[in-house]
Amino acid sequence: MSNIAVELTKNPKPKPADESKIGFGNTFTDHMFVMNYDEGQGWHDPRIVPYGPLSLDPSAMCLHYGQEVFEGLKAYRTADDHIQLFRPQENFKRLNVSNARLSIPLIDEELCLEGLKKLVEIEKDWVPHIPDTSLYIRPFIITTDAHLGVHPGHHYLFIIILSPSGPYYAEGLNPVKIYVEKNYVRTVKGGMGMAKTGGNYAASLNAQAEAEKQNYSQVLWLDGVERKYIEEVGAMNIFFVIDGEAVTPELTSGSILSGITRKSVLDLIRSWGMKATERRISIDEIVEAHKNGKLGEVFGTGTAAVISPVGHLKYGDLEMEIGGNKIGPISQRLYDELTGIQWGRRPDPFGWTVKID
Ligand code: PLP
Ligand code: COI
């Protein structure tokens, strides 16, 4: 066990009065986990401190060159009032994949998990109670060097903040509308697509703003070279049910985030004895499948998005309605099973949950 110092706040904030109105990522708890990295010393001084603003030099390199990585996971309150995490080891593993891509020193995954568990335990009264709410967890790393040369930093901060949250989409489990982006690209092979880093999201903002203007929730990205193969959505991976078989883009290009929900959904579908395939999928194949009545369901998967049915997919002038704009049977079964495990309503045969108390 490592030594994680704890300084408790003297000014605790009131908890949200109406949990049905918390939204996503608006409110933050009383404490945060912090750890420093200094070259020669490594990661040091893991600690839990009152939540509050950071003091950064205006020349801090993260503000200029985007050397930053982050993660997203959740803590859930079970019906018998325990708190549990969903596959947190996977998030710290993926954080190190992102670190490696952005020249950030690797973290000790076990120490970070221990810090997270301790933080959530301290903040457990902040885990909301009503259905479909949870405590969203945001670990992130920034470089803090006061320097304007373009080099990897020598000093970093690792921080975990917590936000009691409701569903990411206003639609909840109702189908969302997505359009296929034709002008912008998010990333390319050899880029940072497989890393969870701010730059990928910055690259997506013009398209996101345009989508919202046209009343779509997010965009579906195509590959950055041929603009032909499907990659992922702004904040979730994507699945299609074609002729009864679930398919999702393979990860070999390195330009798609390896979603933990995606991986869990593949395991769940296969555990039901159904086929789930990872392969290249062209947008033309989807248009064709829709035309032939073989596109049964489309859904996104993500920590924030959970299972998000897609009711409309727009590609150029073609507006495709999917499954009568209703949640399909596979999406519904996945939603019930996944959220059942996450909120402790169903058994956890895969050992995915980690109890806090
Ligand atoms: N793709 C992107 C771009 C995301 O931001 C997310 C959300 O984290 C996902 C996919 C889904 O990943 P996960 O299931 O690990 O949350
Ligand atoms: C998540 O699902 O955890 C994400 O990180 C999506 C986010 C960009 C809101």
Side-chain angles (χ1 to χ4, degrees), residues 70-72 91 94 136 186 196 201 232-237 257-262 301-304:
F70 72 97
E71 268 305 325
N91 291 90
R94 188 171 65 188
Y136 185 74
R186 174 182 175 269
K196 208 158 165 59
Y201 297 80
E232 61 181 319
V233 182
M236 55 189 194
N237 294 111
L257 190 75
S258 175
I260 295 158
T261 321
R262 172 188 182 279
T301 63
T303 298

Side-chain angles (χ1 to χ4, degrees), residues 3-146:
N3 226 348
I4 299 172
V6 178
E7 180 198 339
L8 295 180
T9 182
K10 295 188 178 59
N11 301 300
K13 294 178 277 198
K15 312 275 183 304
D18 182 353
E19 290 183 349
S20 68
K21 296 209 167 69
I22 49 183
F24 178 86
N26 297 319
T27 311
F28 298 93
T29 69
D30 285 322
H31 300 91
M32 58 187 182
F33 177 86
V34 183
M35 183 165 68
N36 295 73
Y37 177 94
D38 294 291
E39 203 162 270
Q41 229 183 326
W43 287 107
H44 63 90
D45 282 307
R47 58 201 183 274
I48 290 169
V49 295
Y51 182 94
L54 304 175
S55 168
L56 283 180
D57 196 286
S59 68
M61 280 167 48
C62 64
L63 301 175
H64 303 270
Y65 307 126
Q67 198 191 7
E68 181 273 353
V69 293
F70 72 97
E71 268 305 325
L73 66 157
K74 287 172 172 175
Y76 306 83
R77 184 180 296 281
T78 64
D80 56 356
D81 217 20
H82 288 290
I83 308 297
Q84 60 186 25
L85 305 170
F86 184 72
R87 310 189 78 176
Q89 302 90 336
E90 295 290 332
N91 291 90
F92 290 121
K93 205 156 95 183
R94 188 171 65 188
L95 190 61
N96 267 339
V97 170
S98 302
N99 282 338
R101 179 63 185 85
L102 278 106
S103 298
I104 294 175
L106 301 191
I107 49 143
D108 174 341
E109 295 168 23
E110 266 176 41
L111 168 67
C112 291
L113 178 55
E114 192 191 325
L116 171 61
K117 285 161 90 174
K118 198 161 178 165
L119 178 65
V120 173
E121 195 171 355
I122 290 171
E123 302 289 59
K124 67 181 177 200
D125 291 346
W126 282 93
V127 182
H129 304 74
I130 68 171
D132 301 326
T133 60
S134 57
L135 187 66
Y136 185 74
I137 300 167
R138 173 54 57 87
F140 64 103
I141 301 178
I142 53 173
T143 178
T144 57
D145 296 47

